[in-house]
């Protein structure tokens, strides 16, 4: 997959491919609804023997319109999103720098100056996709603006039972914020992931028999709620089972800053400075302030047994963040 940065106004050197089938959307989370859009577009592209391109944006378009939490925390920061696009068979990812100029484009201008410039034979998006104000820039009106220059294909809402009612980025963000990772994973269609690097902590972990790798997550990552989780971590190119604590080390009472600490099973290497990917599989419990370190150790032993069982039962889904 090629990834190409675009900024407005588009220059012709940036876009060499065409004709392509073009899927468009912000796709935060690349959840099962988004996957349906991209997979549908892939089938259409295959039928036409054309590459599949995706048009997405480097930041949530809403940032330009309204006050948002800062920094904005995504389900999938760009790098993660691109990894998922690649696994869905995307050939070209156009990442547009979303500025006020782009936000201010009238729907007709967006179609003429952005979409058309990407040489699509067909544009594909979800039923609720908008490219400006919802009343004038929706999928029903897109064919009018396109005026026969290329085809438009709208992908219906994903609906295969009650749970699919809730396949939306907003809902998944809420589940992650509440720590309901099992449910978030169901809607995502893969295990929720966080990336970062391993930094030094207080070096207490090894003294209690549970060394913990401290993950300094990258900016814009959206971290699950405080609590304890069964996880996998990719480090030095391989996935290792483990358990994670997101919290403040209540028992030791020194930590004012929230940390992610991971004890890996059957693992004994120094990994400071390594880039890692954490796959959140299941929530186990809340963080507890224990009255002694021994009580913490007893609980960690139980957490390990529970995590090992969960991870043994949990198989990798079709796609996962690499
Ligand atoms: C799976 C797991 C669960 C944990 N649960 C708790 C907890 O409930 N309460 C708590 O105070 N600390 C908990 N801890 C955090 C330990 O206190 C922490 O890992 C230890 O202080 C080591 O920190 P260090 O990396 O700074 O040496 C947990 C750690 C892990 C790996
Ligand atoms: N099984 C393991 N799980 C996690 N980290 C491990 C493991 N074995 C060795 N390590 C190493 O030990 C470090 C954690 O030890 P710890 O005493 O908790 O120190 P620190 O507070 O500096 O992170 C990790 O960053 C990693 O480099």
């Amino acid at each position: 997959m090629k990834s190409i940065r675009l900024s407005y106004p588009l220059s012709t050197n940036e876009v060499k491919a065409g004709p392509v089938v073009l899927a468009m959307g912000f796709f935060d989370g690349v959840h099962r609804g988004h996957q349906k859009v991209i997979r549908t577009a892939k089938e259409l592209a295959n039928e036409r023997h054309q590459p599949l391109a995706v048009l997405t944006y480097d930041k949530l378009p809403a940032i330009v319109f309204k006050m948002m939490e800062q920094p904005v925390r995504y389900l999938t920061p760009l790098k993660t999103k691109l990894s998922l696009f690649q696994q869905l068979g995307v050939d070209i990812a156009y990442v547009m720098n979303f500025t006020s100029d782009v936000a201010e484009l009238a729907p007709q201008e967006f179609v003429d100056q952005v979409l058309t410039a990407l040489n699509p034979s067909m544009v594909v998006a979800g039923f609720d996709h908008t490219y400006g104000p919802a009343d004038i820039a929706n999928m029903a009106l897109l064919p009018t603006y396109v005026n026969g220059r290329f085809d438009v294909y709208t992908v219906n809402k994903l609906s295969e039972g009650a749970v699919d009612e809730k396949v939306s980025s907003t809902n998944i963000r809420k589940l992650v914020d509440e720590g309901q990772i099992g449910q978030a994973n169901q809607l995502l269609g893969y295990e929720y992931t966080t990336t970062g690097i391993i930094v030094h902590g207080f070096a207490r972990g090894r003294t209690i028999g549970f060394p913990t790798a401290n993950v300094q997550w990258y900016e814009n990552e959206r971290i699950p709620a405080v609590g304890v989780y069964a996880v996998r971590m990719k480090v030095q190119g391989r996935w290792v089972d483990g358990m994670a604590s997101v919290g403040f080390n209540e028992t030791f009472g020194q930590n004012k800053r929230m940390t992610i600490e991971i004890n890996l099973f059957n693992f004994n290497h120094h990994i400071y400075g390594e880039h890692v990917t954490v796959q959140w599989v299941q929530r186990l419990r809340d963080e507890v302030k224990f009255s002694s370190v021994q009580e913490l150790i007893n609980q960690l032993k139980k957490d390990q047994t529970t995590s090992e069982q969960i991870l043994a039962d949990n198989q990798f889904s079709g796609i996962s963040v690499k």
Side-chain angles (χ1 to χ4, degrees):
M1 186 182 79
K2 264 199 298 187
S3 128
I4 298 172
R5 294 277 185 160
L6 301 177
S7 45
Y8 180 81
L10 266 66
S11 95
T12 44
N13 328 329
E14 290 165 326
V15 182
K16 296 206 179 71
V20 299
V21 171
L22 182 73
M24 60 172 172
F26 185 66
F27 298 125
D28 186 31
V30 198
H31 60 53
R32 288 171 57 205
H34 299 146
Q35 290 167 33
K36 184 180 173 192
V37 171
I38 296 171
R39 289 196 168 110
T40 303
K42 182 69 184 177
E43 282 168 23
L44 294 162
N46 286 345
E47 279 171 21
R48 294 181 174 210
H49 306 289
Q50 291 174 1
L52 170 61
V54 165
L55 171 62
T56 193
Y57 305 96
D58 65 340
K59 41 188 126 40
L60 196 63
I63 292 179
V64 179
F65 301 115
K66 56 180 182 197
M67 288 266 284
M68 305 268 302
E69 53 171 333
Q70 289 298 335
V72 178
R73 305 208 178 267
Y74 297 109
L75 291 169
T76 46
L78 185 59
K79 203 163 162 257
T80 304
K81 198 190 270 185
L82 293 176
S83 156
L84 293 166
F85 283 170
Q86 176 156 28
Q87 289 171 72
L88 291 166
V90 174
D91 300 298
I92 308 165
Y94 290 117
V95 182
M96 182 142 196
N97 181 11
F98 197 87
T99 57
S100 305
D101 279 359
V102 180
E104 282 160 14
L105 290 174
Q108 187 68 62
E109 293 172 324
F110 175 77
V111 170
D112 294 348
Q113 297 173 34
V114 180
L115 285 191
T116 307
L118 299 176
N119 302 325
S121 74
M122 178 186 264
V123 166
V124 181
F127 68 103
D128 58 352
H129 181 71
T130 54
Y131 40 97
D135 55 336
I136 56 165
N138 52 49
M139 289 304 285
L141 289 172
L142 187 55
T144 314
Y145 301 118
V146 169
N147 195 20
R149 282 171 289 178
F150 46 83
D151 298 327
V152 172
Y153 190 101
T154 305
V155 178
N156 296 333
K157 187 172 184 164
L158 180 73
S159 56
E160 301 162 10
V163 73
D164 295 309
E165 285 303 304
K166 296 178 243 150
V167 184
S168 78
S169 302
T170 308
N171 193 50
I172 300 170
R173 284 189 202 110
K174 187 162 155 271
L175 291 169
V176 170
D177 292 350
E178 293 166 355
Q180 300 194 53
I181 283 299
Q183 258 178 281
N185 290 345
Q186 287 254 313
L187 303 187
L188 286 169
Y190 63 92
E191 275 82 32
Y192 188 63
T193 294
T194 297
T195 53
I197 59 167
I198 302 302
V199 297
H200 285 269
F202 292 104
R204 283 176 307 227
R206 66 195 87 171
T207 66
I208 62 170
F210 289 93
T212 53
N214 293 45
V215 180
Q216 176 61 64
W217 59 91
Y218 297 129
E219 199 192 17
N220 293 344
E221 288 279 0
R222 191 171 200 103
I223 307 306
V226 165
V228 177
Y229 300 84
V231 299
R232 294 192 186 90
M233 189 166 98
K234 190 180 189 187
V235 58
Q236 296 170 334
R238 70 182 177 109
W239 287 98
V240 185
D241 288 354
M243 54 184 180
S245 161
V246 177
F248 298 88
N249 289 356
E250 294 283 357
T251 304
F252 294 96
Q254 286 170 326
N255 203 358
K256 301 257 183 305
R257 205 170 48 84
M258 191 175 90
T259 55
I260 300 178
E261 309 198 23
I262 299 185
N263 172 252
L264 297 170
F265 306 148
N266 306 315
F267 186 89
N268 186 13
H269 302 284
H270 278 294
I271 51 173
Y272 295 115
E274 294 284 343
H275 164 85
V276 297
T277 303
V278 180
Q279 197 179 57
W280 306 90
V281 177
Q282 194 66 255
R283 183 184 176 88
L284 304 183
R285 62 176 176 87
D286 291 338
E287 180 176 40
V288 175
K289 185 175 166 70
F290 292 100
S291 42
S292 71
V293 174
Q294 190 53 51
E295 277 179 62
L296 170 63
I297 294 172
N298 294 344
Q299 180 59 49
L300 289 175
K301 287 181 183 157
K302 289 186 200 155
D303 292 339
Q304 174 162 0
T305 307
T306 315
S307 299
E308 282 170 344
Q309 277 163 3
I310 289 170
L311 295 167
D313 291 344
N314 169 282
Q315 296 303 317
F316 276 100
S317 54
I319 60 170
S320 63
V321 179
K322 300 287 177 194

